[in-house]
Amino acid sequence: MISYLFQCEQETFPLPHTQRNLSLFLMLLLVPLSLAVAEEKPQIDQIFKLFESGEVMARESVEQNIARLDKLIASDDVEHIEKLKMLKCWNQPAETEAEILLARDKAQEALNSIPSTASVHFATDLTLCHSWFLQLSGDINGAMEGYSRSIKTAYEHEDIKLIADARSLRGALYSYIGDFSALDDLVTAQGLYESLNLTGWANINLTDIATSFRRYGDPESAIKYYNKLKELYLKKGNEEQVANVTSDIGIALDEMGEHEQAIENFRFSYQYFKKHRLNNAAAVNATNIAYSLIQLNRLDEAEKYLKEAELEITANEPAAYSFMKLFMGKIRYQQGRYQEALSELADAENAFRAMQNDRGLVQLLQLKSEVYAAMNDLPSAYQTLQQFVALTRKVEDNSFAHQTTELKVKFDTSWIESENKRLLDNQKLKEQELALLEKNKSLQLIILLLTGCILAIVSLFAYKQVHRNRHLQTIALTDYLTQLPNRRHIYAKAEQYFQQALKLQTPFSVIIFDADHFKKINDNFGHEIGDQALLTIAQASQALTADRNLIGRIGGEEFLILLPNTNAERVWELAHELQTLITRYGAINLPVELKLTVSAGVATLNTELGKQDESFARLLKRADNALYDAKNAGRNCVKVAKAAS
């Protein structure tokens, strides 16, 4: 992806792609021409390297460099021509509504005119570019479909840079609409960018991760990320990125109730964008300022900023338009102008629904119910409140279903701190009790000491017994070699997830896989290397899921992965990721001549009437049959289970 990652509709100009060397075939009769080409090639490579770095460039610099490439690249230089076309697609102006629509149409034209000889990378990158402009124009479904299709193609061709780009874009969009699976995409992209040493893109993706934390209710963590990025951009002199991040910090401060500080941040960004005639970005920040002023009950000032924003932001830009109208509706409500408030909220609601932004819609429905209540229209207020409750439950359920590993770690850490505090409090109480008992008669002290000894002995015995029972339980449920859950344990877990998926009507998928030609590994390399191969598979599987409790060893070289809240398309992607990880870890841990591969079968719970998996055993059987198909197909591949009958 040679893309701009926007905050709202604010324009930035990053650009990547893997640089490749061109070979120049010299001819004795064309020495002068060859010398000219030799001088031009370093210039071409240098310009592409600048774009590929992901660092922000001013619009003027972007246009000048693209114009230089137009002059320098020869008409028969197919590879560089493709790269130039990708640059031109991503770097179209997109500041105004008209520019966005024009860019979208040009991207569609470029897609339609791709020659049959074009590279898969080129076609996939143009699909991403077109999807990006679909997103800016408000077509969320079209954008999401394009991103997911690009991810699938990128995985099929193992194009790591495109995988990172597509998952970064999809993750940012998931985050905006309130789908809490965003971090899965964004964290994956972050790891890939860092492994490719693409610092510029990693920083942009990190901004989206920080924004996701803010949207998920952790503004303090978000501000820590934002401040690090701001410091980095200040050192590099990237003023526009400093303005963008400063605006992000303002939003996080608002959510922490620090509205005065938020206004200072927004005004800094607002003035920068006004000065540089980035009018749409300035209007977005004017809207942000208005929100903070509303929280401080400075309605007249807030209205002034919103009216200024209305000159730039139209209904064809639903991302910014929705919040602008929501805030104006809030002002009208507080002014007692209820009908006008409802009119503003109606416009905002249409925009939120167009963008599928449930987070914003929750705020709107709550305010709308308050307006109806103030108008004494209790039936409408009650009906709106019901919608608010239902949508809030949906958002909360979605959040719960996609808890990230980092959030889980935070929870566990909080639990440990809480438990330690409880133990310390108990210790203080015991010390106070002892101080009081010392004042009693010697007989009472003796009785107390005897009682204490008995309690200590009983407690120690109970502790040892509990510890022993837990240890035995762990042994009974854990595979001795890999330390993963064994067959009995993972099947019990699977049954729980299966029943939960049926009850909640949520996706549930499984991957069953085993090492290819494992007997030959033992025969040719010895059982010690065979055990190391199994440990390598376990290590790669844990890297995929980040949760060892979802992986089980169910046979000699056979493993099972449980994937709650995972649909058929996603489990297909994960199965291929698993194969890649196992091969990569095997290259590190095993002898060079041993190429470790696996065959896998995947299955997803089918809840369609008449085709429903009636039990987990049935779902597992379908996955096992798919594994059998994978082996028959030559191994080292993934097969999807046939539909339930």
Side-chain angles (χ1 to χ4, degrees):
M1 172 189 66
I2 306 176
S3 109
Y4 303 152
L5 296 184
F6 284 59
Q7 184 228 345
C8 290
E9 285 74 33
Q10 298 174 12
E11 188 173 3
T12 58
F13 306 99
L15 316 153
H17 268 315
T18 308
Q19 184 179 356
R20 301 169 185 162
N21 295 324
L22 290 177
S23 300
L24 299 176
F25 296 95
L26 305 179
M27 298 179 64
L28 293 176
L29 297 178
L30 297 174
V31 171
L33 177 60
S34 300
L35 292 175
V37 172
E39 292 177 358
E40 291 173 354
K41 182 180 179 296
Q43 295 182 49
I44 294 173
D45 292 340
Q46 185 178 7
I47 295 171
F48 275 121
K49 186 175 181 180
L50 178 63
F51 280 111
E52 290 163 0
S53 69
E55 299 296 338
V56 176
M57 286 193 289
R59 163 61 64 185
E60 183 179 355
S61 298
V62 170
E63 293 174 349
Q64 289 175 353
N65 282 313
I66 289 179
R68 288 176 62 196
L69 289 172
D70 257 329
K71 294 180 180 179
L72 293 172
I73 296 175
S75 59
D76 59 346
D77 188 349
V78 176
E79 180 182 346
H80 280 151
I81 288 174
E82 284 190 352
K83 294 176 71 173
L84 178 57
K85 287 181 178 179
M86 290 185 284
L87 282 180
K88 288 181 176 179
C89 182
W90 285 106
N91 290 284
Q92 298 178 82
E95 170 67 16
T96 66
E97 171 195 342
E99 288 175 343
I100 290 172
L101 296 178
L102 181 60
R104 179 198 64 189
D105 294 342
K106 286 186 176 180
Q108 182 65 65
E109 291 176 9
L111 269 179
N112 294 339
S113 60
I114 293 177
S116 58
T117 56
S119 67
V120 175
H121 181 96
F122 175 63
T124 306
D125 195 83
L126 282 186
T127 300
L128 275 180
C129 177
H130 178 248
S131 302
W132 169 243
F133 287 113
L134 285 177
Q135 177 180 335
L136 291 187
S137 65
D139 185 356
I140 300 303
N141 290 332
M144 193 67 76
E145 180 184 351
Y147 293 153
S148 297
R149 188 167 64 251
S150 299
I151 290 171
K152 182 179 180 181
T153 304
Y155 272 110
E156 288 173 351
H157 292 82
E158 298 183 351
D159 193 327
I160 297 178
K161 178 57 172 55
L162 275 181
I163 292 171
D165 291 338
R167 296 198 70 169
S168 179
L169 286 169
R170 188 174 73 174
L173 182 54
Y174 271 141
S175 176
Y176 176 78
I177 64 177
D179 189 320
F180 294 88
S181 60
L183 284 176
D184 179 32
D185 277 336
L186 293 174
V187 171
T188 299
Q190 190 72 17
L192 293 176
Y193 283 138
E194 291 175 358
S195 68
L196 295 172
N197 200 28
L198 295 173
T199 307
W201 292 108
N203 290 339
I204 293 169
N205 189 75
L206 187 59
T207 302
D208 289 320
I209 292 177
T211 301
S212 297
F213 274 112
R214 174 181 60 76
R215 288 168 175 161
Y216 303 162
D218 189 0
E220 292 87 354
S221 295
I223 288 178
K224 290 179 183 178
Y225 285 118
Y226 288 143
N227 280 328
K228 289 180 181 179
L229 289 167
K230 184 176 180 179
E231 182 180 350
L232 177 65
Y233 291 137
L234 282 170
K235 288 180 180 178
K236 293 186 176 182
N238 292 340
E239 295 181 356
E240 186 170 333
Q241 288 294 71
V242 170
N244 285 332
V245 174
T246 301
S247 181
D248 288 327
I249 293 173
I251 297 173
L253 287 169
D254 259 334
E255 295 183 1
M256 294 171 61
E258 303 291 343
H259 304 302
E260 291 287 0
Q261 293 183 43
I263 291 173
E264 292 179 13
N265 281 265
F266 292 140
R267 280 183 175 154
F268 172 86
S269 302
Y270 168 78
Q271 290 166 0
Y272 173 85
F273 292 126
K274 290 281 284 187
K275 177 182 177 182
H276 292 80
R277 298 182 180 179
L278 297 171
N279 298 329
N280 197 273
V284 170
N285 276 274
T287 303
N288 292 336
I289 293 172
Y291 173 80
S292 302
L293 291 170
I294 291 171
Q295 304 312 304
L296 297 171
N297 204 31
R298 292 155 62 180
L299 302 185
D300 292 340
E301 294 178 67
E303 185 172 353
K304 176 184 175 183
Y305 278 104
L306 288 177
K307 286 185 176 179
E308 178 183 333
E310 284 180 337
L311 299 176
E312 291 293 332
I313 300 173
T314 69
N316 291 314
E317 302 166 89
Y321 181 82
S322 54
F323 284 103
M324 180 185 71
K325 286 294 185 179
L326 173 62
F327 300 157
M328 187 63 82
K330 180 72 171 177
I331 291 175
R332 294 293 179 248
Y333 165 64
Q334 294 188 8
Q335 290 172 339
R337 297 156 65 176
Y338 302 133
Q339 286 296 343
E340 294 179 42
L342 290 176
S343 177
E344 299 286 355
L345 294 180
D347 292 337
E349 185 170 354
N350 290 335
F352 280 130
R353 294 192 185 279
M355 293 295 292
Q356 301 178 24
N357 187 343
D358 289 341
R359 295 178 303 103
L361 202 54
V362 165
Q363 298 178 48
L364 182 142
L365 291 173
Q366 184 178 23
L367 175 58
K368 189 176 178 182
S369 68
E370 292 173 2
V371 174
Y372 279 129
M375 296 172 67
N376 206 28
D377 185 353
L378 299 184
S380 297
Y382 177 72
Q383 182 181 7
T384 306
L385 194 59
Q386 283 185 313
Q387 297 175 19
F388 164 76
V389 171
L391 188 59
T392 301
R393 185 178 295 114
K394 173 188 172 185
V395 172
E396 290 177 349
D397 289 346
N398 192 24
S399 172
F400 177 78
H402 296 91
Q403 289 297 323
T404 63
T405 302
E406 183 168 353
L407 293 178
K408 181 179 183 298
V409 170
K410 286 184 176 181
F411 173 82
D412 289 343
T413 302
S414 300
W415 182 88
I416 292 170
E417 292 174 352
S418 175
E419 181 66 8
N420 289 342
K421 183 178 183 301
R422 185 185 66 81
L423 293 173
L424 289 171
D425 290 342
N426 287 345
Q427 183 64 33
K428 289 179 181 179
L429 288 173
K430 289 179 181 179
E431 291 173 356
Q432 292 173 0
E433 291 172 357
L434 288 174
L436 291 173
L437 290 171
E438 286 176 356
K439 298 178 181 180
N440 294 335
K441 297 179 181 180
S442 58
L443 182 58
Q444 292 174 327
L445 180 58
I446 294 173
I447 295 173
L448 179 62
L449 290 174
L450 289 174
T451 304
C453 290
I454 294 172
L455 288 175
I457 293 171
V458 172
S459 298
L460 180 61
F461 176 79
Y463 171 78
K464 289 185 175 181
Q465 188 64 31
V466 169
H467 183 72
R468 184 182 296 109
N469 290 342
R470 288 179 178 175
H471 182 62
L472 291 174
Q473 184 181 25
T474 300
I475 293 175
L477 298 177
T478 304
D479 174 58
Y480 73 98
L481 175 63
T482 63
Q483 294 303 298
L484 294 174
N486 59 18
R487 176 195 294 263
R488 180 171 61 176
H489 191 188
I490 198 67
Y491 280 4
K493 282 279 187 183
E495 188 64 37
Q496 293 174 8
Y497 285 123
F498 181 86
Q499 296 300 330
Q500 183 182 34
L502 282 181
K503 180 179 179 181
L504 300 179
Q505 289 294 291
T506 55
F508 175 55
S509 299
V510 297
I511 304 175
I512 186 170
F513 64 99
D514 64 15
D516 293 331
H517 304 296
F518 188 71
K519 185 177 184 303
K520 291 183 179 179
I521 294 176
N522 282 329
D523 293 343
N524 296 336
F525 296 93
H527 288 280
E528 184 176 350
I529 296 299
D531 288 348
Q532 188 59 44
L534 295 176
L535 289 170
T536 297
I537 292 174
Q539 184 183 6
S541 301
Q542 291 183 68
L544 179 76
T545 66
D547 186 351
R548 64 178 297 277
N549 292 316
L550 297 178
I551 314 162
R553 183 184 177 192
I554 60 175
E557 68 272 20
E558 192 169 11
F559 295 79
L560 174 66
I561 296 180
L562 309 179
L563 296 166
N565 299 297
T566 303
N567 59 26
E569 180 180 357
R570 182 66 183 128
V571 72
W572 174 261
E573 295 175 1
L574 288 172
H576 285 86
E577 286 185 44
L578 175 66
Q579 287 188 303
T580 302
L581 284 170
I582 289 173
T583 301
R584 186 187 307 163
Y585 278 69
I588 298 172
N589 299 334
L590 301 173
V592 176
E593 60 272 18
L594 173 55
K595 306 299 181 184
L596 181 62
T597 63
V598 298
S599 302
V602 299
T604 300
L605 173 63
N606 193 336
T607 58
E608 184 179 348
L609 186 63
K611 297 183 179 180
Q612 181 172 338
D613 291 304
E614 67 276 8
S615 64
F616 170 71
R618 176 58 182 162
L619 177 65
L620 183 64
K621 178 63 177 174
R622 292 201 295 117
D624 194 52
N625 290 341
L627 172 59
Y628 184 77
D629 292 341
K631 291 179 180 178
N632 286 340
R635 294 184 169 83
N636 191 22
C637 63
V638 178
K639 292 295 182 180
V640 178
K642 297 177 182 179
S645 60

